[in-house]
Amino acid sequence: MKLTRISALALFLCAAASAKEPVITKETRDNAEYMFIDGIKVHEEDPAKQPQPEIVAPKPYDAGATKAPEGATVLFDGSEATLENWTAMNGEPTKWKLVDAAMESVRGAGYIRTKKEFGSCRLHIEFATPAKPEGSGQGRGNSGVFIMGQYEVQVLDSYENTTYPDGQCGALYGRKKPLVNASRPPGEWQTYDITFTHPIFDEAGKITRKARFTVIHNGILIHDDVELSGGTGWAGPHAATEYVKHPDKGPIAFQDHGNPVRFRNIWIQEIAN
Ligand code: MG
């Protein structure tokens, strides 16, 4: 009985500790600024300091569950007509290609973004990294889902391809590694179901409510209502960025990182908060 009570207390303390705000520190080494989250360097590659997420089996693809629910806005359904919902970041027509009812990134074409803008939302997307994997680490099947045009849920071929855990498939880039690695092999369709709460800033530009993410990858929970500690931009060797004030709505964008990654079946539901 005593042991049970102690275990319960330990569990409670662990839960309380994990709910705490992450401690962000910075250090300058060799003229580069390095950021640490709870003492772990951003983009830490040493598994002794930042263990790789456990590899788990993804859930089978469920065509019924991935259909756009009634009332959802379909952003892309494989048709030429819905590709018209998207543009290049500068508003010009996108150079991404329509291939086999999917939109495929084209090296050098730049990011693709929705014409419409969104704040808090539930977003479903499907992606496939190239069937013939090329490159390694961050160079293999790299793209990304940018909510509000800037908060990145990483897209990467993380099937038998290791990289720093906070940059692998499903990572909130540079901020939080996924709970587990639920990746499918290259070329296979994978799903993200993202629930996002937008950040809020005061008049002076100070953050008053941080962004939150719940992410389900191939049916497996990989982020459970995680508070994003700051921006997810790549800003130097190991320095993540801070929050910078922006409007309450922004586009959904996908990254052109030079690899022909495909996307399909994209729909969104706006959430009022
Ligand atoms: Mg990326």
Side-chain angles (χ1 to χ4, degrees), residues 189-203:
W189 284 104
Q190 311 197 48
T191 59
Y192 275 158
D193 288 281
I194 300 170
T195 304
F196 172 77
T197 308
H198 75 78
I200 295 176
F201 302 85
D202 66 14
E203 299 248 309

Side-chain angles (χ1 to χ4, degrees), residues 53-72:
E54 183 193 350
I55 294 167
V56 301
K59 292 247 174 83
Y61 181 83
D62 182 343
T66 55
K67 260 197 211 129
E70 207 161 0

Side-chain angles (χ1 to χ4, degrees), residues 142-144 152 154-155 255 257:
N142 195 332
S143 182
E152 184 182 16
Q154 173 71 307
V155 168
Q255 187 179 38
H257 201 283

